[in-house]
Amino acid sequence: MGVLLENLYKMPCFQNTRVVAGRIHNKEIYVEGITIIEAPDIANWIRGGELLLTSFYSIDKDLEIQKEIVSKLSQKGAAALIIKTSRFLSEIPKEIIELGNQLDFPIIEMPGHVKYIDIMYPVMAEIFNDQVNRLNYYKACHERFTDITLRMKGIPSIAQTLEELVKNPVIIFDNKFNPIVCNDEKYKDIEIQVDNLKQLVRDNYPIYHTEVKMANNTDSKYLMITEPIEVLDQIKAYIGIIELNDKIEDMCFIALESAATALRFEMLKEIAITEVELKYKGDLMDDILNGRFDSIDNIYSRSAIFGWNLERQFIVILLYISQYEEYIDNENDITKGPHLIREKIMKIVDRVSYYYTKDQIFYNRGDSIAILWPKNESEDLNLTYKRIKRFTQEIQEIVNVDIGQISITVGIGGLAEDPMEIQRSYGEALDAIEYGRKIQGEGSVIAYDELGIYKLLCSFDNKDKLKEFVHPNLLRLYEYDKDKNNELISTLEVYLKCNLNAVKTAEELFVHYKTVLYRLNRIKEITNLDLEDRNKMLEIEVGLKILRIIN
C-alpha cells in the first residue's frame, strides 16, 4: 500500500520545498518508492506509486517533452513529481504548473541547495519502516487469529478480536446479509443497501464500501467496509466493519484479511463436521426406516448420540419432490441445482415444523425428505393427522412462494408404537405417495389409512386387467364425457360421496340444485342405471376409483 504522501510531506526533509501544483492534503496518495529520473522515457518503466525527483537536466529547454512527461506520469499513477530548480532549470515553467493543476497531479518545487539524498534517504527509511511495521502487524494479527482457530474458539471470538484491533463495531452476516454475530445488539438492525452490495460481489470487488444507517439514528450515515467469505466456490458469509469510532486505516485491512482467513477456516471446519454428522445421521435414519438393527436397545443407544429420543410413538411422513427440472432450466444461475433446492426445502421444513411439533427428526434421502413425527400422547390420533396435513400443506404453499412451482407429494404412514414399527409406517408412507400420485396426481397429500379400497386396486400392475372390473355402462359414460371436461363423471363421484344427496352435491360443486338434477338425469339416460340401487352404486363407485387410477 505504501505511505500516505500527506504524511511524508510533514517530514523535516520537505521543509524547504513547496507544492506548486495539484493536491497533497486530504487526498489518498500512497508512496511505494522513490527514485531519480532524467531520461524522457521514464514513464515507460514505472508501476505507479513512485515519488520521482528530477532537474529536467537533459530536457530543460524542451517544454513540450516536459509536459509530455508530466502527463504520462499522471496517467501511470506516479505519486508526485519533485522538480529541483538549479542552474539547468531556474524556475518551473508556468505551463507545467498549469498542467499539474489541470491533472490534479502533485508537483513539488525543491530548491537547488537541497541534495537529492537529503529527501531520498529519509523517505526510503520511512517506506522501509512502514513495510516492517506492516509485516510485524500482519504477523501479530495472523498469530492472534491462528490461536483462535487452533483453540476452536468459534466465530464470535473472531468478531470480538477483529473489533479490538480495528476499534470499530464488527458484524458477521450470513450470505443473505442477516447478522449472525454482533458484539453489540444495537448494531444488528442497521440498514444496508443489499442490492448494491450484491452487485459489487458480482463485479468481483474483493473488499467494498457501502453506507449504512443505524436503527436509532437514521439521519446519520456511516461507512461500512465489507469482505465476502467464499468457501468451496460459494459465498457463505460477509464480515463488515462500521467506521463509527475511528477512521478505517490501512492496518484495518490487514486485520480484516486475517479475520477473513480465520473465518473461512472456521466455516470450512463446520461444513466438514456437518457433512460427517449428516452421513452418520443418514446411515442411522436409513437403518431405522428399513429395520436394519439388532435390537431396540441398540437403536436407542445409537440415536442417543444425536439427542434423538425414539422412546415415543412416531408417524412417518415423506415429502416427495418432483417437477423441478423446468424451474432449474429457466434459472440463469446454474448453481441452483437440485441439491440446493432440496436444501432450501429442508430449511423451510425445519422452520415451519417449529410451530407444529417438537423434537421431530427429518432426513434428506434423494428426492424425498423423511420426517419422524412424534405423536403427543394426550392428543387424539385424528387430530394429529389433521395437524400433519396442515403442516405439509403450509410447506407446499411456502415452497411455491419462496422457490417456485415445484411439486411436493406427501405420503403419511400409520402410527408406529416403537422403533420396530417405523419400517412399516415408512412403507405405508411410500405406498401413500405412489397411490396418491396415481389417484390425485402430483402435489397430493395422502394418508395411508385413508386409501381404503385404493390399497387393493393400486396393487394391480396390469391396468387392462383392472379395467375389466369397470361396469360397461360406466365406461360408456366416461367415453361420452371426455369432451365435456368430465363434468358428468365428476358429478357422479360427488353424488356418491354425498350419500346420493343432490342438495349437498350442488353445494359441493358450487352449482344450482337443478343443474345437478339435470346431470343426474343425463347420467341415467346414458348408462341406463338405477342411481337408487345401492348394490349397483357400490359397483359404480369402485369403477370410478379404477378409472381414476388407470387414467
Side-chain angles (χ1 to χ4, degrees), residues 57-71:
Y57 166 70
S58 60
I59 54 171
D60 59 317
K61 300 293 191 296
D62 197 329
L63 180 61
E64 291 304 315
I65 294 180
Q66 294 175 17
K67 289 167 66 176
E68 183 180 349
I69 288 176
V70 171
S71 297

Side-chain angles (χ1 to χ4, degrees), residues 114-221:
V114 178
K115 299 175 182 177
Y116 284 156
I117 59 173
D118 293 340
I119 289 180
M120 286 185 66
Y121 286 1
V123 169
M124 289 171 64
E126 188 67 21
I127 292 173
F128 180 76
N129 288 337
D130 177 72
Q131 291 175 344
V132 171
N133 290 338
R134 286 175 186 275
L135 286 172
N136 288 335
Y137 186 71
Y138 172 79
K139 181 173 178 292
C141 290
H142 177 73
E143 288 175 351
R144 288 190 67 172
F145 286 108
T146 300
D147 182 68
I148 290 172
T149 302
L150 294 176
R151 292 177 181 271
M152 302 178 72
K153 293 183 178 179
I155 295 176
S157 185
I158 294 173
Q160 178 64 43
T161 302
L162 180 59
E163 190 163 300
E164 292 170 3
L165 290 169
V166 301
K167 297 179 176 57
N168 278 306
V170 171
I171 304 175
I172 297 178
F173 305 90
D174 64 13
N175 58 1
K176 295 186 181 298
F177 285 98
N178 300 310
I180 54 175
V181 174
C182 185
N183 295 318
D184 194 327
E185 292 292 322
K186 68 183 179 183
Y187 300 126
K188 275 194 172 182
D189 297 327
I190 60 172
E191 296 181 16
I192 311 172
Q193 293 179 331
V194 176
D195 292 338
N196 182 37
L197 285 173
K198 287 182 178 178
Q199 180 60 48
L200 289 169
V201 172
R202 285 193 291 270
D203 293 340
N204 293 320
Y205 279 67
I207 297 176
Y208 42 90
H209 306 69
T210 189
E211 289 183 339
V212 297
K213 294 180 181 179
M214 299 298 174
N216 57 352
N217 185 10
T218 55
D219 294 333
S220 299
K221 294 181 180 179

Side-chain angles (χ1 to χ4, degrees), residues 1-8 27-33 47-51 77-79 126-128 130-135 206-207 209 225 248-254 257:
M1 179 68 79
V3 183
L4 200 63
L5 178 59
E6 182 178 6
N7 295 336
L8 282 179
K27 187 179 179 183
E28 290 190 355
I29 303 174
Y30 291 93
V31 178
E32 298 182 10
R47 295 180 300 178
E50 293 91 350
L51 189 59
E126 188 67 21
I127 292 173
F128 180 76
D130 177 72
Q131 291 175 344
V132 171
N133 290 338
R134 286 175 186 275
L135 286 172
I207 297 176
H209 306 69
I225 63 169
I248 297 175
E249 303 285 357
D250 297 348
M251 295 299 190
C252 296
F253 290 95
I254 295 175
E257 203 55 49

Side-chain angles (χ1 to χ4, degrees), residues 136-365:
N136 288 335
Y137 186 71
Y138 172 79
K139 181 173 178 292
C141 290
H142 177 73
E143 288 175 351
R144 288 190 67 172
F145 286 108
T146 300
D147 182 68
I148 290 172
T149 302
L150 294 176
R151 292 177 181 271
M152 302 178 72
K153 293 183 178 179
I155 295 176
S157 185
I158 294 173
Q160 178 64 43
T161 302
L162 180 59
E163 190 163 300
E164 292 170 3
L165 290 169
V166 301
K167 297 179 176 57
N168 278 306
V170 171
I171 304 175
I172 297 178
F173 305 90
D174 64 13
N175 58 1
K176 295 186 181 298
F177 285 98
N178 300 310
I180 54 175
V181 174
C182 185
N183 295 318
D184 194 327
E185 292 292 322
K186 68 183 179 183
Y187 300 126
K188 275 194 172 182
D189 297 327
I190 60 172
E191 296 181 16
I192 311 172
Q193 293 179 331
V194 176
D195 292 338
N196 182 37
L197 285 173
K198 287 182 178 178
Q199 180 60 48
L200 289 169
V201 172
R202 285 193 291 270
D203 293 340
N204 293 320
Y205 279 67
I207 297 176
Y208 42 90
H209 306 69
T210 189
E211 289 183 339
V212 297
K213 294 180 181 179
M214 299 298 174
N216 57 352
N217 185 10
T218 55
D219 294 333
S220 299
K221 294 181 180 179
Y222 300 92
L223 174 70
M224 183 174 76
I225 63 169
T226 311
E227 178 165 0
I229 306 302
E230 190 171 312
V231 180
L232 300 177
D233 297 325
Q234 290 183 17
I235 293 177
K236 296 291 185 181
Y238 299 87
I239 299 182
I241 303 174
I242 303 173
E243 191 178 69
L244 187 66
N245 304 321
D246 292 349
K247 182 176 175 58
I248 297 175
E249 303 285 357
D250 297 348
M251 295 299 190
C252 296
F253 290 95
I254 295 175
L256 174 60
E257 203 55 49
S258 296
T261 301
L263 185 54
R264 288 185 187 98
F265 276 117
E266 192 68 29
M267 291 193 157
L268 191 61
K269 179 188 71 179
E270 288 185 359
I271 290 171
I273 292 172
T274 300
E275 286 183 352
V276 172
E277 187 176 293
L278 284 174
K279 180 186 181 304
Y280 281 101
K281 282 183 177 180
D283 291 345
L284 175 57
M285 189 72 156
D286 207 52
D287 288 346
I288 293 171
L289 294 176
N290 292 286
R292 291 194 298 262
F293 49 88
D294 300 330
S295 64
I296 289 183
D297 291 337
N298 172 268
I299 211 69
Y300 282 161
S301 60
R302 288 176 63 190
S303 60
I305 296 172
F306 301 112
W308 295 355
N309 176 17
L310 293 185
E311 298 184 32
R312 296 174 292 174
Q313 297 177 336
F314 285 97
I315 295 170
V316 177
I317 307 168
L318 278 181
L319 308 180
Y320 177 73
I321 307 164
S322 62
Q323 297 183 347
Y324 49 69
E325 291 82 1
E326 183 179 348
Y327 170 81
I328 297 170
D329 292 341
N330 291 335
E331 286 288 345
N332 293 323
D333 188 353
I334 60 173
T335 63
K336 294 181 178 179
H339 67 288
L340 292 180
I341 292 176
R342 289 194 291 270
E343 282 182 13
K344 289 181 179 180
I345 295 174
M346 286 279 283
K347 289 178 181 178
I348 293 171
V349 170
D350 187 34
R351 186 174 77 241
V352 175
S353 61
Y354 173 82
Y355 300 98
Y356 286 88
T357 187
K358 293 181 180 178
D359 301 327
Q360 79 287 347
I361 303 167
F362 54 88
Y363 163 51
N364 183 359
R365 47 182 294 136

Side-chain angles (χ1 to χ4, degrees), residues 339-402:
H339 67 288
L340 292 180
I341 292 176
R342 289 194 291 270
E343 282 182 13
K344 289 181 179 180
I345 295 174
M346 286 279 283
K347 289 178 181 178
I348 293 171
V349 170
D350 187 34
R351 186 174 77 241
V352 175
S353 61
Y354 173 82
Y355 300 98
Y356 286 88
T357 187
K358 293 181 180 178
D359 301 327
Q360 79 287 347
I361 303 167
F362 54 88
Y363 163 51
N364 183 359
R365 47 182 294 136
D367 285 333
S368 298
I369 297 173
I371 304 173
L372 295 186
W373 187 279
K375 181 189 175 298
N376 190 330
E377 293 180 2
S378 61
E379 185 178 52
D380 180 74
L381 185 58
N382 289 328
L383 289 176
T384 301
Y385 277 112
K386 286 181 180 178
R387 199 150 50 84
I388 289 173
K389 285 193 171 185
R390 285 200 305 270
F391 160 71
T392 55
Q393 286 163 357
E394 186 173 343
I395 294 293
Q396 291 173 325
E397 292 169 2
I398 294 174
V399 166
N400 285 335
V401 172
D402 291 359

